[in-house]
Amino acid sequence: MKVKPFIIIFLSLLLCFSAVFSSSAALLSAKDLLIDKINNYKLPFNKDFYNKTSSDISLEINKFNGTVKEQAGDYTGSKIAFNVQLDEPNKAIKLNYDANIQKNSCKGDIYLTEDRIIFSKDIISLIKNFNIDELDSFPLLEQGPDYLYMISGQLKPVWEQMQSYQSQKLPVEYQDFMLFIVEAIPDKYINQSSGEITIKLDQSGFEDVLYCLVTKVFNEKERFADIIYKINKYTFEAQGLNPEAARNLIISGFAEISPPTREEIHAIGSFLDVSLLYSCSLQTYGTGNFEINMAIKAPDQSVKGSIDILSKSVTNKDNYDGSYLIKINFEDDKRKTLDGSVSGAFNYKASSATSDMKLDLTAKDNAAGEVYFDIGATIKSKDKINQALQIKVPELNTSNSINITDIMPAPGKTNQQVKDIFIDGKRIDCPVNPKIAEKGIMLPVRIISEALGYQVNWIEPNEISITGKNKVITLFVNQKTYTVNGQEKELEMAPYVENNSTMVLMDFISQELGVSINLSGGNLYIIKAQE
C-alpha cells in the first residue's frame, strides 16, 4: 500500500477543520464553529488521488548498526523500489517491487482486490532476504505455482474508505468519533480569534477534558458503542458477532466498572504530563497546526520518557503542503534508552503529489556501552493521477495458484482426509484416492513415481520395479521388505493393491523418491528435489 496517503489521512484527522463557512457562522460559538467544520469538512486535495493513481515509492536503509547487525547481517544500502497503481473503479491495486537486499535482487507483484491479496511467488525470495527461515518448512510456496493468495474480509473497509475519499470526505465513522470528542471539550478551551480556532490545553486542562470525555462515554454509552462498532465493524464480523451482539458486548463492559472520579483522573498526572495546542483557519485556505507533548514516567520510577508530535499544514488554491515530526525518548532505571524520530513533508498539487519521510531509531544499554540497534531509513514517493490506468488482475485457477491458508498447518487438526494431490503445483488425477492408514497415508505409487520421472514396471506375481535417477527400487506387495540398489530396507506397513493400483506409505515416497511433502487443507503437496 502507499505510505504517504495514509500519513496524510492520519494528519488530516488531526487537522481536519478547514472548510468554508457562511457569514452567519460568525454568530456561532468557537465550539459550534469547530463542530460545523467537522460536519462540512472536505479533504484538501484532488479526489481523483483515490480513483486512478500511479505512485513511485523508494525505501532505502541508510543505517543499520548495533548487535542486530551481528545477528541479522548488514542491511545498510538495501533498497526497495515500488510502483503502486490504484484502479478504484475496478477495485484493484497493483504493487510492483524491485528489491536489492544485502546485494540480493528480487522482483515481484502484489495485487489487492475486493476480497483477496495475491502474491507472485517471488515474494518468498523477498521474505527470505530478511533471514526469515520459517518458510523453509513450506517449499511449495517457492517452488509451486506462479501465485499465492489469501482471502480477506478486512479489505472491504479499504474500498469503502476510498469511496469516502473520492467524495473528499472522511469516513463517517471517523467523523462521528471526532464529533463525539469535540462535544466533550468544555467551551472554555476552544477559542476563536483573528480568523482562527484554537484549542490549548495544559496538564490541568487535559485532565478536565479527559474527565468530561470519560463521563460522556458513560452517559452516552449506546452512541459510543455504535461509533466503536462502525470503526471495527469487520473485526467484529470476523468474530461472528452481528451488529446488535457487538454493540451489546461493548455496552456490557461499562456495567462492570464505575466512571472514574476527578480525583482518579487527576492521579494520572503522577505518571503522565500532557500539553496540547491545535489551531486552524476559519477560511477555505489557510494554515493548520497541531502539537502535543507527553512526559511519561512509571509509578515505580523504573521508566521515564517523552513523546512529542508536531504537524503543520498550509492550504491554498493550488497546493496542500505539510510537514510532521514525531519524537520518542525513553530511559529505564538501568540506563537503557530508546530514542527515535519520524519526520517528513508532503505536497499536493492538482494532479501530482510528492512526499519524503525519514526514520531513525536507536536502542542502547548505556551502562554496558552496548548498542542494540541504530537504524535509519528514508522513504520518498511521487504520485500522479492517471485516468487511463487499468489494472489486469491475474485470473487464478487450481493450476496457477495456491491459497496460502490451505498449505499452512491447521492447528489442532489431525488425521486429515486427502482430497487432491499436487506435484510442483499441478494437480494429478489418481486412479485411487489416498487412504489414511494406521501407519500413515497410503498413496498410489505408479502415478506419483511416473510424474516424478521414474519408470515403473509390474513383474508377476507381486513385484514392483521403480528405476531412474541412479536408483533401482524393488517393492513386493504384502511384504514390508524392499531393496534400493540391492540394499535391503523395511517399510512400517506393507504395500497392497486396490483397484489395480499398488498403494505405499507416503514416507516411502518422500524418503526414496527425493521429494518433500506437505499435507494441509485436505490436499497433499509434493515438491521435487532441486537437481
Side-chain angles (χ1 to χ4, degrees):
M1 297 289 290
K2 296 184 288 185
V3 175
K4 176 185 58 52
F6 287 95
I7 295 169
I8 302 306
I9 295 305
F10 170 73
L11 293 172
S12 296
L13 287 171
L14 301 175
L15 304 170
C16 72
F17 314 119
S18 53
V20 180
F21 276 83
S22 65
S23 59
S24 62
L27 302 175
L28 301 174
S29 69
K31 182 173 180 176
D32 290 335
L33 287 172
L34 190 54
I35 290 173
D36 193 52
K37 289 178 77 69
I38 297 173
N39 283 321
N40 294 282
Y41 175 68
K42 292 182 67 176
L43 292 171
F45 44 82
N46 192 328
K47 63 182 181 180
D48 287 332
F49 278 108
Y50 286 90
N51 185 36
K52 292 198 173 192
T53 309
S54 179
S55 302
D56 291 312
I57 303 171
S58 64
L59 182 154
E60 181 175 0
I61 300 175
N62 45 46
K63 183 173 55 173
F64 198 85
N65 299 314
T67 55
V68 66
K69 177 178 176 179
E70 300 170 7
Q71 297 170 356
D74 189 2
Y75 287 92
T76 304
S78 294
K79 300 178 182 180
I80 305 179
F82 302 94
N83 177 256
V84 182
Q85 298 178 346
L86 167 65
D87 184 0
E88 194 282 334
N90 291 311
K91 299 294 184 289
I93 294 173
K94 178 182 178 182
L95 186 155
N96 171 266
Y97 60 86
D98 185 350
N100 189 310
I101 310 295
Q102 292 184 324
K103 300 181 179 179
N104 296 316
S105 298
C106 58
K107 300 179 181 181
D109 298 310
I110 302 173
Y111 298 86
L112 276 70
T113 67
E114 282 191 280
D115 64 349
R116 64 188 61 196
I117 305 172
I118 303 169
F119 305 89
S120 62
K121 67 178 180 181
D122 313 270
I123 191 69
I124 306 305
S125 298
L126 177 63
I127 294 173
K128 285 188 172 183
N129 280 332
F130 290 98
N131 294 319
I132 299 175
D133 299 326
E134 285 77 4
L135 294 176
D136 290 340
S137 301
F138 303 97
L140 180 64
L141 290 174
E142 190 169 15
Q143 302 173 22
D146 293 333
Y147 299 104
L148 316 171
Y149 72 92
M150 58 191 299
I151 298 172
S152 173
Q154 297 303 312
L155 292 172
K156 291 181 181 179
V158 172
W159 298 110
E160 290 181 0
Q161 290 174 18
M162 293 284 185
Q163 292 291 332
S164 296
Y165 301 150
Q166 285 188 41
S167 302
Q168 291 189 289
K169 295 180 180 180
L170 291 171
V172 65
E173 58 268 26
Y174 296 133
Q175 188 178 51
D176 290 345
F177 185 63
M178 294 176 68
L179 286 169
F180 190 91
I181 292 174
V182 171
E183 290 169 9
I185 301 175
D187 289 19
K188 62 182 179 180
Y189 298 113
I190 306 176
N191 298 293
Q192 176 191 354
S193 177
S194 302
E196 280 191 341
I197 290 178
T198 302
I199 301 175
K200 187 175 182 179
L201 302 176
D202 57 11
Q203 178 65 17
S204 176
F206 169 73
E207 293 173 8
D208 189 18
V209 169
L210 184 58
Y211 173 78
C212 293
L213 177 60
V214 174
T215 300
K216 183 178 178 68
V217 168
F218 274 86
N219 290 340
E220 301 179 33
K221 48 183 173 288
E222 289 81 7
R223 178 187 171 194
F224 182 74
D226 187 61
I227 293 171
I228 298 302
Y229 166 73
K230 289 177 180 177
I231 291 175
N232 299 281
K233 176 172 63 174
Y234 292 105
T235 300
F236 285 118
E237 287 183 0
Q239 296 172 352
L241 296 173
N242 61 38
E244 182 179 0
R247 293 184 182 98
N248 288 338
L249 179 65
I250 297 169
I251 293 170
S252 66
F254 294 103
E256 301 174 5
I257 56 175
S258 301
T261 64
R262 283 191 178 274
E263 291 73 21
E264 290 170 331
I265 293 291
H266 179 67
I268 293 175
S270 64
F271 60 88
L272 178 62
D273 192 337
V274 177
S275 64
L276 179 147
L277 176 63
Y278 169 81
S279 66
C280 69
S281 173
L282 284 172
Q283 306 303 316
T284 303
Y285 306 122
T287 62
N289 297 281
F290 178 84
E291 183 175 357
I292 185 169
N293 308 105
M294 295 179 284
I296 304 166
K297 55 184 177 182
D300 62 0
Q301 307 298 312
S302 60
V303 179
K304 63 180 180 179
S306 62
I307 301 175
D308 302 303
I309 302 173
L310 172 65
S311 66
K312 298 179 179 181
S313 68
V314 179
T315 308
N316 57 44
K317 183 179 179 181
D318 301 313
N319 291 282
Y320 174 44
D321 295 282
S323 63
Y324 54 90
L325 172 64
I326 303 172
K327 296 177 67 176
I328 63 170
N329 173 269
F330 287 93
E331 183 175 4
D332 69 7
D333 54 2
K334 295 180 175 57
R335 297 183 59 206
K336 294 179 180 179
T337 58
L338 175 66
D339 298 281
S341 67
V342 178
S343 60
F346 56 87
N347 170 261
Y348 275 88
K349 297 184 184 298
S351 61
S352 63
T354 60
S355 76
D356 297 282
M357 179 192 293
K358 183 179 179 182
L359 167 70
D360 287 289
L361 193 61
T362 304
K364 298 179 181 179
D365 183 341
N366 293 282
E370 180 182 1
V371 177
Y372 296 130
F373 55 79
D374 183 19
I375 299 172
T378 57
I379 301 174
K380 298 182 179 182
S381 72
K382 294 181 179 180
D383 298 350
K384 190 173 183 178
I385 294 172
N386 180 2
Q387 296 291 3
L389 184 149
Q390 286 191 327
I391 296 175
K392 185 177 181 180
V393 177
E395 295 184 7
L396 305 183
N397 55 53
T398 56
S399 297
N400 70 1
S401 65
I402 298 174
N403 188 335
I404 296 174
T405 56
D406 283 348
I407 61 175
M408 294 300 180
K413 289 188 178 181
T414 58
N415 294 330
Q416 300 182 64
Q417 296 296 319
V418 179
K419 295 182 293 186
D420 291 303
I421 296 177
F422 294 82
I423 296 181
D424 285 349
K426 295 183 179 180
R427 181 181 174 277
I428 62 172
D429 292 321
C430 293
V432 179
N433 291 328
K435 296 290 188 298
I436 305 297
E438 180 182 354
K439 298 295 184 179
I441 299 173
M442 303 298 289
L443 303 175
V445 69
R446 176 183 288 275
I447 192 165
I448 293 174
S449 299
E450 290 179 343
L452 293 172
Y454 291 88
Q455 182 178 345
V456 181
N457 291 302
W458 171 262
I459 302 171
E460 292 291 353
N462 68 337
E463 182 179 333
I464 305 101
S465 174
I466 304 172
T467 58
K469 303 180 182 180
N470 299 317
K471 277 189 175 184
V472 177
I473 303 171
T474 304
L475 293 161
F476 300 91
V477 173
N478 298 326
Q479 293 183 23
K480 291 184 178 181
T481 301
Y482 71 101
T483 63
V484 179
N485 292 340
Q487 181 180 355
E488 188 172 289
K489 297 185 177 183
E490 186 169 300
L491 296 163
E492 288 193 62
M493 183 171 176
Y496 63 87
V497 176
E498 180 177 339
N499 292 337
N500 295 320
S501 292
T502 302
M503 308 292 286
V504 299
L505 277 170
M506 181 176 73
D507 288 348
F508 168 83
I509 300 290
S510 62
Q511 292 169 12
E512 303 299 352
L513 303 188
V515 297
S516 60
I517 301 178
N518 290 320
L519 173 63
S520 188
N523 295 321
L524 198 69
Y525 299 93
I526 300 174
I527 303 298
K528 297 177 184 177
Q530 294 182 340
E531 298 180 359

